[in-house]
Amino acid sequence: PTAPTTAYPTAETICIDEHALDWRSYDHEIKLNGNRFNLKGLSWFGFETGNNYVYGTDKHTVDWYLDWMVDNGFNAIRLPFSKAFIDESQSNRNDYLEVVQKAGLKGLLVMPDLHSLAKGAYTEGLASRADMISA
């Protein structure tokens, strides 16, 4: 394993090669490159709504929020989106990818979440896997 540089390593502190992420789960722990990974995440909503972008950007930039997350010890983001958002335009897909890439450059793990078929349809999270695939 890669030696951690902190007592409670994050992806950024134990991942020397960003292209060699070895995720495992054993001994009731998540391991990244052989070291315990302590997940501290949050959900950043917006891409699954009619907003078509993450919330809060009318107050601060995406980079400001990502820096805040890192400064406050977060290492993961759940980033929900709707199928309608993704299907609507290449511009929407580019916006989503831009946030994912910016987060990655700051050492944040991004967990994409196909949240719903339609925008703002939070109850669609209960749709079956077959319904989501066929949509």
Side-chain angles (χ1 to χ4, degrees):
T2 304
T5 56
T6 65
Y8 297 99
T10 64
E12 189 173 47
T13 61
I14 63 173
C15 180
I16 304 304
D17 181 356
E18 67 185 34
H19 301 290
L21 299 178
D22 181 29
W23 292 97
R24 306 287 172 146
S25 175
Y26 54 89
D27 297 333
H28 307 288
E29 294 179 341
I30 298 172
K31 306 282 187 170
L32 174 57
N33 297 344
N35 296 287
R36 183 176 77 190
F37 182 78
N38 298 297
L39 182 71
K40 181 179 178 184
L42 51 79
S43 291
W44 197 1
F45 296 97
F47 288 119
E48 82 289 5
T49 71
N51 193 48
N52 286 344
Y53 207 71
V54 286
Y55 285 130
T57 54
D58 59 325
K59 304 293 182 198
H60 301 287
T61 66
V62 167
D63 286 313
W64 185 94
Y65 285 107
L66 295 172
D67 289 338
W68 180 91
M69 291 173 203
V70 170
D71 291 346
N72 286 278
F74 289 93
N75 58 13
I77 305 169
R78 174 179 161 257
L79 199 58
F81 63 92
S82 69
K83 185 175 183 311
F85 167 81
I86 292 297
D87 288 347
E88 192 172 83
S89 71
Q90 183 63 48
S91 176
N92 285 358
R93 292 186 292 278
N94 292 343
D95 287 345
Y96 190 89
L97 184 58
E98 179 184 31
V99 173
V100 169
Q101 289 173 333
K102 284 183 174 189
L105 289 172
K106 294 183 184 289
L108 294 162
L109 172 69
V110 177
M111 298 171 285
D113 167 23
L114 175 54
H115 192 71
S116 59
L117 299 176
K119 295 177 185 180
Y122 65 92
T123 58
E124 284 185 352
L126 303 175
S128 72
R129 182 174 184 267
D131 289 341
M132 296 300 263
I133 291 172
S134 68

